[in-house]
């Protein structure tokens, strides 16, 4: 093992051949991560830390170039191998503050991904108040002359009903050249995105990328439900990336380390694709996500879920309304039936601000909710219930019987948001209450599926004693994940769905524990395609639940359209199936049958986007999955936006907004004999033609607002 004293200039202590990265120790003991042969100046210290009294060496919007980061020097490292994983821990120390940092770099054999975490330890004799710390930094992403001009920046905006809206722009549009030689300094700014409050994806996804003209891509993900931030910018003519959990400036997070105390950052992952651009990088990220999540049979069986809420009962379930839906859902092929919001609503003033006890409403279920749950089981389906565990309504008895310390507080005052208080799951009374609720639902009622919703943004967090609000939110977040894991420990077959008003808490801290992710609350079937197509950027396909809500008032095209969008993920079936005529119901049943045929391929497939990631108003949208068995493609054709396609759309849509056919490039199949088959809808006038020499699939959709699922395979 090398020591700081024995380190030779640019000594390599760690490397990752698939990422093309190594960690080197400079002659001054500084450790930096980069590519072989790069100039030290463009690299960034392995850990950047700001603390009260120890800020940055160059003031601005960046949270790199910190005083502590510059002083952290190499102590040693060790590597542990476990089956196909390798974990290297690099130890650093700051001689001024006596802060120690342990950086854990975790890799998987054959994979182009790097997961990082940092542990800080105060080895000094005085407290140190940390205000920001990186989980992972990387400089020198490209340093060839003019290479920054060829970089493209990708990020995703996220909002209620409008999730996974990917944007792209030239790197130089956001990080402009500043004639550094004339000023002697780097710029003060950067491109940044960050979360706000307790909806981790209420503004953006914690995922972004840089790509170059040659098809190389750097893609990153931060795994936090309690604050995250990334920044990218220019350093000595090259691009850098820095990934953070919560910090003081953006999340009111400060953490005071007393002597001997430690702090662990949230994890983050970096993926590199040498070719293939974003599609290849998201393929690597999908593999990584499958590797870090808790194992569960649901990931392989992918049961069809019927949920009574969307465009159907909308929070107004009763025995009378549910019974015919249960029978129809089972006949259509559903395997889970979820009673969504409202099953506990027994209050004349409404349920929103009275929730918390989670007892069934006697006025909704005159003979008890067990009658309905028994009917679900009798029809061969697993019963599910909606639950919003982290909140207690201001009119709920629990608001008065639980101790004040069991709730979020700021300035000594209990936080109230949209008629609700927020439980702090670090408090034993809060956790005991929720444990008793879930154990009752599972053990006594026989519930096998819980939709865990989260419909308020509680703000920066909770102040428990002297802790900052952001530190309180992080503490609760970690306790919440531990609580979810404990439910699955006690009830291994229980399935947990993660929902935050749709996709507003769609991060891989949550999804490493939960089995299913709600992607949106979007009720307009024509607005859902860009969300459904891009959902695999936020979650693995087998975790990404997409609503399919056919209605008896829909045309055959509309029924096929809403069903098609869910077939390459997880189906959240809804709609008044019991009121459909025979032809309509047959179309629903056919789609479910197709899904059951292809779902064994979904859980191991990699996503790709032959038309690029969709924009909100795109006319043609395509999303595919590549498995060992075949290539599956969903293609939507929507009516052009009013007034015709805008300039950006016209540039993206080479097929033309008024065209009836769309040509998809499938280079991974070029030169091979393939047979395209329209799987859904079966009765269609759509066609698909394969050009082996060019590697192109041309699909004709004669009418707008239609969609098809196509399989491309070499089999007959």
């Amino acid at each position: 093992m090398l020591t700081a004293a024995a380190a030779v200039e640019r000594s390599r202590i760690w490397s990752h051949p698939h990422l093309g990265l190594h960690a080197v120790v400079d002659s001054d003991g500084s450790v930096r991560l980069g590519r072989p042969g790069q100039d030290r100046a463009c690299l960034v210290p392995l850990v950047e830390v700001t603390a009260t009294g120890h800020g940055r060496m160059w003031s601005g919007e960046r949270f790199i170039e910190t005083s502590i980061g510059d002083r952290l020097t190499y102590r040693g490292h060790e590597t542990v191998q476990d089956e196909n994983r390798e974990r290297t821990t690099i130890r650093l120390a700051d001689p001024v503050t006596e802060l120690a940092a342990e950086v854990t770099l975790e890799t998987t054999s054959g994979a182009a991904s790097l997961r990082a975490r940092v542990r800080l330890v105060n080895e000094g004799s005085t407290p140190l108040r940390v205000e920001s710390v990186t989980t992972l930094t990387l400089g020198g992403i490209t340093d060839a002359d003019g290479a920054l001009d060829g970089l493209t920046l990708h990020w995703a905006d996220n909002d209620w009903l409008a999730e996974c809206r990917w944007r792209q722009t030239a790197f130089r549009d956001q990080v402009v050249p500043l004639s550094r030689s004339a000023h002697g300094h780097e710029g003060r700014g950067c491109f940044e995105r960050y979360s706000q409050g307790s909806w981790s994806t209420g503004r953006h996804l914690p995922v972004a990328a840089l790509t170059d003209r040659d098809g190389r891509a750097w893609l990153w993900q931060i795994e936090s439900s309690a604050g995250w931030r990334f920044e990218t910018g220019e350093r000595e003519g090259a691009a850098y990336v820095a990934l953070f959990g919560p910090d003081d400036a953006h999340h009111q997070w400060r953490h005071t380390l007393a002597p001997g105390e430690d702090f662990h950052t949230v994890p983050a992952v970096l993926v590199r694709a040498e070719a293939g651009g974003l599609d290849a990088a998201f393929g690597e990220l999908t593999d990584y996500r499958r590797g870090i999540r808790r194992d569960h049979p649901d990931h392989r069986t992918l049961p069809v879920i019927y949920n009574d809420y969307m465009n159907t009962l909308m929070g107004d379930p009763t025995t009378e309304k549910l019974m015919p839906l249960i029978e129809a859902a089972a006949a259509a092929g559903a395997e889970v039936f979820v009673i969504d919001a409202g099953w506990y609503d027994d209050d004349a003033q409404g349920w929103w601000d009275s929730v918390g006890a989670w007892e069934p409403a006697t006025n909704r279920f005159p003979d008890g909710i067990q009658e309905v749950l028994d009917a679900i089981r009798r029809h061969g389906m697993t019963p599910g219930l909606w639950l919003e565990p982290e909140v207690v309504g201001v009119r709920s008895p629990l608001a008065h019987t639980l101790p004040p310390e069991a709730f979020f507080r700021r300035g000594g005052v209990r936080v109230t948001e949209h008629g609700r208080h927020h439980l702090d799951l670090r408090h034993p009374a809060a956790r005991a209450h929720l444990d008793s609720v879930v154990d009752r639902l599972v053990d006594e009622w026989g519930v096998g599926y819980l939709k865990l919703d989260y419909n308020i943004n509680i703000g920066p967090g909770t102040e428990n004693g002297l802790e900052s609000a952001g530190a309180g939110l992080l503490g609760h977040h970690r306790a919440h994940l531990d609580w979810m894991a404990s439910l699955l420990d006690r009830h291994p077959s229980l399935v947990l769905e993660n929902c935050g008003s749709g996709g507003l808490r769609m991060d891989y801290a949550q999804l490493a524990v939960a089995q299913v992710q709600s992607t949106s609350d979007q009720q307009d079937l024509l607005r859902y395609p860009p969300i459904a197509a891009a959902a695999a950027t936020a979650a693995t396909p087998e975790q990404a639940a997409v609503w399919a809500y056919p209605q008896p008032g829909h045309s055959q095209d509309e029924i096929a359209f809403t069903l098609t969008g869910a077939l390459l993920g997880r189906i959240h079936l809804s709609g008044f199936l019991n009121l459909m005529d025979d032809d309509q119901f047959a179309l629903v049943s056919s789609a479910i049958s197709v899904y059951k045929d292809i779902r064994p391929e979904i859980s191991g497939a990699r996503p790709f986007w032959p038309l690029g990631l969709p924009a909100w108003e795109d006319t043609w949208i395509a999303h595919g999955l590549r498995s060992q068995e075949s290539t599956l493609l969903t293609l939507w054709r929507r009516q052009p936006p009013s007034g015709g396609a805008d300039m950006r759309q016209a540039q993206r849509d080479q097929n033309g907004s008024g065209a009836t056919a769309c040509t998809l490039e499938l280079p991974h199949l070029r030169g091979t004999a393939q047979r395209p088959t329209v799987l859904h809808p079966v009765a269609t006038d759509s066609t698909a033609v394969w050009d082996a020499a060019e590697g192109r699939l041309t699909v004709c959709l004669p009418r707008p607002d239609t969609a098809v699922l196509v399989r491309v395979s070499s089999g007959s």
Side-chain angles (χ1 to χ4, degrees):
M1 180 183 299
L2 292 173
T3 65
V8 296
E9 186 171 359
R10 306 310 300 269
S11 174
R12 182 184 302 182
I13 59 174
W14 174 89
S15 63
H16 189 309
H18 286 87
L19 281 171
L21 293 178
H22 62 198
V24 295
V25 183
D26 288 340
S27 57
D28 61 359
S30 175
V31 179
R32 295 166 192 259
L33 192 65
R35 293 183 289 116
Q38 288 182 304
D39 186 347
R40 175 191 188 276
C42 72
L43 304 182
V44 186
L46 189 58
V47 181
E48 296 276 25
V49 181
T50 62
T52 306
H54 304 270
R56 293 162 291 180
M57 298 183 296
W58 179 239
S59 190
E61 300 303 311
R62 304 178 180 205
F63 281 81
I64 61 167
E65 299 168 330
T66 64
S67 297
I68 292 177
D70 189 61
R71 296 193 302 255
L72 285 170
T73 54
Y74 176 72
R75 270 185 171 178
H77 74 281
E78 58 269 338
T79 297
V80 176
Q81 289 187 326
D82 179 15
E83 295 180 356
N84 66 334
R85 293 193 180 185
E86 182 178 281
R87 186 179 297 107
T88 297
T89 300
I90 301 172
R91 300 192 304 279
L92 311 168
D94 172 23
V96 175
T97 61
E98 297 185 84
L99 178 70
E102 296 178 353
V103 185
T104 299
L105 304 176
E106 186 174 328
T107 60
T108 302
S109 177
S113 60
L114 171 65
R115 194 186 203 207
R117 287 166 290 178
V118 175
R119 175 178 177 252
L120 299 179
V121 184
N122 185 355
E123 296 182 347
S125 58
T126 59
L128 183 69
R129 192 170 81 159
V130 179
E131 297 178 351
S132 71
V133 54
T134 56
T135 290
L136 182 63
T137 59
L138 176 65
I141 288 181
T142 180
D143 55 3
D145 291 341
L148 290 180
D149 295 336
L151 281 183
T152 299
L153 178 62
H154 308 260
W155 76 97
D157 293 339
N158 213 63
D159 197 359
W160 184 54
L161 311 180
E163 291 84 352
C164 302
R165 297 184 341 272
W166 279 85
R167 312 281 190 175
Q168 70 176 52
T169 188
F171 183 79
R172 279 304 192 198
D173 285 348
Q174 299 293 330
V175 182
V176 299
L178 298 174
S179 302
R180 185 188 187 285
S181 60
H183 302 283
H185 286 288
E186 298 286 359
R188 299 184 187 274
C190 60
F191 178 88
E192 65 176 0
R193 288 292 183 265
Y194 53 90
S195 65
Q196 184 180 56
S198 56
W199 274 332
S200 60
T201 56
R203 301 164 60 128
H204 312 284
L205 294 183
V207 184
L210 289 170
T211 59
D212 68 16
R213 293 175 178 138
D214 296 323
R216 288 181 286 265
W218 293 100
L219 176 66
W220 56 88
Q221 167 182 283
I222 305 171
E223 296 158 18
S224 173
S225 292
W228 58 267
R229 175 180 174 271
F230 69 78
E231 66 176 73
T232 182
E234 181 177 3
R235 179 179 170 90
E236 296 291 343
Y240 77 89
V241 171
L243 311 180
F244 302 78
D247 65 48
D248 187 22
H250 302 86
H251 309 98
Q252 298 184 34
W253 177 89
R254 300 171 296 282
H255 190 93
T256 299
L257 283 175
E261 290 186 342
D262 67 354
F263 170 76
H264 295 257
T265 67
V266 302
V269 63
L270 183 71
V271 165
R272 181 172 186 254
E274 181 62 24
L278 278 183
D279 283 357
F282 272 116
E284 287 284 346
L285 184 60
T286 300
D287 291 346
Y288 162 83
R289 288 167 168 172
R290 287 169 174 150
I292 65 165
R293 69 191 179 193
R294 180 188 181 108
D295 185 48
H296 196 286
D298 181 80
H299 296 144
R300 294 175 289 278
T301 56
L302 279 58
V304 175
I305 304 156
Y306 183 94
N307 182 301
D308 70 23
Y309 185 82
M310 190 59 69
N311 291 348
T312 310
L313 299 188
M314 299 298 289
D316 187 27
T318 65
T319 301
E320 182 181 8
K321 294 177 181 178
L322 286 166
M323 287 303 194
L325 290 177
I326 292 168
E327 182 176 358
E335 295 153 308
V336 176
F337 190 102
V338 179
I339 304 172
D340 207 280
W343 58 269
Y344 40 78
D345 180 16
D346 209 7
D347 192 300
Q349 299 180 56
W351 59 265
W352 181 263
D353 59 358
S354 64
V355 297
W358 308 113
E359 296 285 355
T362 56
N363 65 326
R364 294 183 172 275
F365 309 103
D367 295 319
I369 196 171
Q370 197 64 56
E371 177 188 14
V372 179
L373 300 176
D374 287 344
I376 294 170
R377 278 187 292 270
R378 191 167 58 251
H379 282 84
M381 297 182 291
T382 299
L385 288 176
W386 181 96
L387 203 65
E388 195 169 359
E390 293 165 83
V391 302
V392 170
V394 296
R395 294 192 301 109
S396 171
L398 274 297
H400 308 289
T401 57
L402 289 173
E405 297 79 12
F407 295 94
F408 273 37
R409 295 168 296 159
R410 292 198 287 271
V413 178
R414 187 184 299 187
V415 179
T416 303
E417 175 72 9
H418 197 181
R420 274 100 176 273
H421 303 307
H422 197 294
L423 291 173
D424 186 339
L425 284 183
R426 295 175 295 178
H427 195 280
R431 182 153 175 166
H433 160 62
L434 292 184
D435 279 344
S436 66
V437 168
V438 174
D439 290 347
R440 167 168 50 88
L441 300 183
V442 177
D443 291 335
E444 298 178 22
W445 296 12
V447 170
Y449 185 106
L450 289 176
K451 177 178 178 178
L452 303 181
D453 210 343
Y454 186 69
N455 288 306
I456 60 171
N457 187 335
I458 202 62
T462 179
E463 299 164 347
N464 185 16
L466 297 178
E467 74 179 354
S468 66
L473 182 61
L474 180 59
H476 162 76
H477 152 65
R478 287 173 164 166
H480 178 229
L481 295 178
D482 184 73
W483 173 73
M484 290 170 62
S486 73
L487 299 183
L488 296 170
D489 289 340
R490 295 200 304 277
H491 311 290
S493 61
L494 179 66
V495 175
L496 300 180
E497 176 190 336
N498 182 50
C499 182
S501 281
L504 301 188
R505 194 159 65 169
M506 193 159 42
D507 61 75
Y508 258 86
Q510 299 285 122
L511 284 171
V513 183
Q515 288 68 59
V516 180
Q517 172 65 52
S518 175
T519 56
S520 187
D521 281 349
Q522 177 56 252
Q523 292 178 248
D524 185 342
L525 61 89
L526 297 179
R527 285 293 187 188
Y528 216 130
I531 302 171
T537 64
T540 63
E542 64 271 21
Q543 289 178 280
V546 174
W547 287 105
Y549 29 62
Q551 301 294 350
H554 283 171
S555 67
Q556 291 290 96
D557 277 352
E558 289 172 322
I559 291 174
F561 190 94
T562 187
L563 290 164
T564 303
L567 296 181
L568 292 188
R570 293 300 294 274
I571 296 180
H572 264 173
L573 184 63
S574 197
F576 290 102
L577 308 184
N578 57 307
L579 302 180
M580 289 184 165
D581 64 32
D582 290 345
D583 289 341
Q584 292 173 322
F585 193 82
L587 184 54
V588 175
S589 299
S590 173
I592 301 304
S593 178
V594 167
Y595 181 77
K596 290 179 178 180
D597 286 341
I598 67 172
R599 64 183 172 186
E601 299 179 46
I602 294 174
S603 58
R606 283 183 163 194
F608 71 103
W609 296 268
L611 296 178
L613 289 169
W616 190 244
E617 299 289 355
D618 277 359
T619 301
W620 291 92
I621 295 173
H623 167 228
L625 293 180
R626 291 173 55 180
S627 71
Q628 293 182 347
E629 293 82 5
S630 66
T631 295
L632 296 166
L633 286 157
T634 300
L635 182 67
W636 295 264
R637 178 192 170 196
R638 298 190 296 177
Q639 192 77 31
S642 58
D646 60 20
M647 182 63 69
R648 179 188 51 76
Q649 164 65 17
Q651 292 171 346
R652 288 173 55 94
D653 183 9
Q654 298 178 0
N655 296 282
S657 60
T660 61
C662 180
T663 299
L664 308 176
E665 302 281 347
L666 304 180
H668 65 287
L669 298 177
R670 185 177 295 128
T672 64
Q674 300 289 327
R675 179 174 178 266
T677 305
V678 176
L679 298 181
H680 174 77
V682 175
T684 180
D685 51 2
S686 302
T687 59
V689 177
W690 173 244
D691 182 336
E694 299 297 330
R696 292 173 178 167
L697 178 71
T698 299
V699 181
C700 177
L701 295 180
R703 297 176 304 284
D705 298 337
T706 55
V708 292
L709 173 67
V710 179
R711 182 200 292 276
V712 182
S713 65
S714 57
S716 58

